[in-house]
Amino acid sequence: MTLKFVSCPSPNHDARPDGTPVDILVLHYTGMKTADEALARLCDPEAKVSAHYTIGRDGRVFAHVPEERRAWHAGVSFWAGERNVNARSIGIELVNPGHEFGYVDFAEAQIEALIDLSHEILKRHPITPQRVLGHSDVAPARKEDPGERFPWAKLAEFGIGLWPARGGGEASASDLSRFGYGLAPDMDVPLEKVVTAFQRHFRPADVDGKWDGECASILAGLLAPRAV
Ligand SMILES: [Zn+2]
C-alpha cells in the first residue's frame, strides 16, 4: 500500500529541547464526532493541541507537524522516568469518535496506513517496541485512548510494539512501574487507573481495573528478557 499524505499544517508546535532523542511513539484516537471537527481543532492556534499525523478511516494521512518539531499531543504524562513525553515522541491520531461519542472499531484501511507510517517512523528514529504506547499508557489518570478496540496484537505482528507471551510467571501490580507506568506516590495516580490502562493495552477483552492472575502472567511476560 502506498501512503496518501495530505498536507494539513498545524501552528501548534515548538522546538524539541536540544539533544532529546525521539524514542517514543504515542497513539491516540481523536475522540470527536467527525474527522473534520478533529482536524480543525488540531490546527486551531487557540486549542494549543496537535499531533504529527492524523489518519482518517479511509487511510489518508494528514501531516500536521514535521517530525523534528515537538507536537503537543500527550499533555501531562509519564513513561519510564520521563515526564516530558512530547519532547521525545511522535504522536499519531486515529479518527474515531472514542468512548464519549460512540467508540467504533478502527477501519482496516486506517490500520494498514498506520502500520506503513509506523514502519517509516521506526526506521527514522530509535524507538524500541516497549516505547510504542497509547495515550492512556502515559496519562492513565486522564486518558482512555486509543482504547480497548485498538489492535495492538496485529501491530505487534508487523513488528510495531510489544505483545506479551503468556505464562511467563507472576508479576504484581506494583511491577507495572518496572515496565514504565507512572506509579510513584507523588504522581497521585490511583492504581486502579494504571491497571485499567494496562488492561486496555494488553488484556483488552476484560478491562475492569482489577489485578488478577492473567494480568500477573501478562506483565511477567512483558518483563521477561527477550531476544530483540
Ligand atoms: Zn490522546
Side-chain angles (χ1 to χ4, degrees):
M1 187 178 132
T2 312
L3 284 170
K4 276 187 229 122
F5 285 97
V6 181
S7 177
C8 184
S10 168
N12 301 327
H13 57 85
D14 59 3
R16 295 186 189 274
D18 274 351
T20 311
V22 175
D23 60 4
I24 297 177
L25 177 60
V26 183
L27 305 179
H28 303 256
Y29 64 48
T30 50
M32 300 192 79
K33 284 179 190 154
T34 66
D36 285 349
E37 210 181 326
L39 291 169
R41 181 157 189 270
L42 290 163
C43 298
D44 174 2
E46 298 291 314
K48 293 191 165 50
V49 295
S50 62
H52 292 91
Y53 304 99
T54 297
I55 305 180
R57 294 185 61 81
D58 60 2
R60 279 186 301 167
V61 180
F62 297 86
H64 304 303
V65 173
E67 290 180 11
E68 63 270 21
R69 303 280 294 173
R70 170 166 58 185
W72 304 339
H73 54 96
V76 175
S77 50
F78 177 94
W79 190 257
E82 304 291 347
R83 284 170 198 261
N84 194 343
V85 171
N86 282 342
R88 55 197 311 137
S89 64
I90 302 283
I92 302 177
E93 294 274 357
L94 298 158
V95 170
N96 192 307
H99 294 88
E100 194 174 349
F101 297 112
Y103 190 35
V104 291
D105 283 340
F106 294 88
E108 205 170 315
Q110 189 175 31
I111 296 303
E112 281 176 19
L114 173 64
I115 288 169
D116 287 357
L117 177 62
S118 300
H119 281 156
E120 291 189 359
I121 291 168
L122 296 177
K123 270 186 229 156
R124 287 193 282 267
H125 305 283
I127 301 171
T128 57
Q130 45 273 65
R131 291 168 84 90
V132 177
L133 302 166
H135 198 185
S136 55
D137 292 316
V138 301
R142 301 184 298 118
K143 295 293 175 182
E144 316 185 285
D145 62 313
E148 63 279 1
R149 290 178 189 262
F150 185 80
W152 290 108
K154 176 166 184 180
L155 261 70
E157 279 172 33
F158 286 85
I160 303 157
L162 281 186
W163 192 250
R166 308 290 163 109
E170 288 223 340
S172 67
S174 61
D175 291 324
L176 285 166
S177 64
R178 288 173 51 210
F179 188 60
Y181 286 94
L183 276 182
D186 67 307
M187 300 182 67
D188 202 23
V189 179
L191 180 61
E192 190 181 343
K193 295 269 193 188
V194 180
V195 171
T196 300
F198 170 79
Q199 291 171 339
R200 278 192 209 287
H201 190 146
F202 295 108
R203 211 266 307 263
D206 186 2
V207 180
D208 64 0
K210 297 189 178 72
W211 196 252
D212 57 30
E214 193 181 30
C215 294
S217 162
I218 292 169
L219 181 58
L222 289 168
L223 290 170
R226 62 184 66 78
V228 178

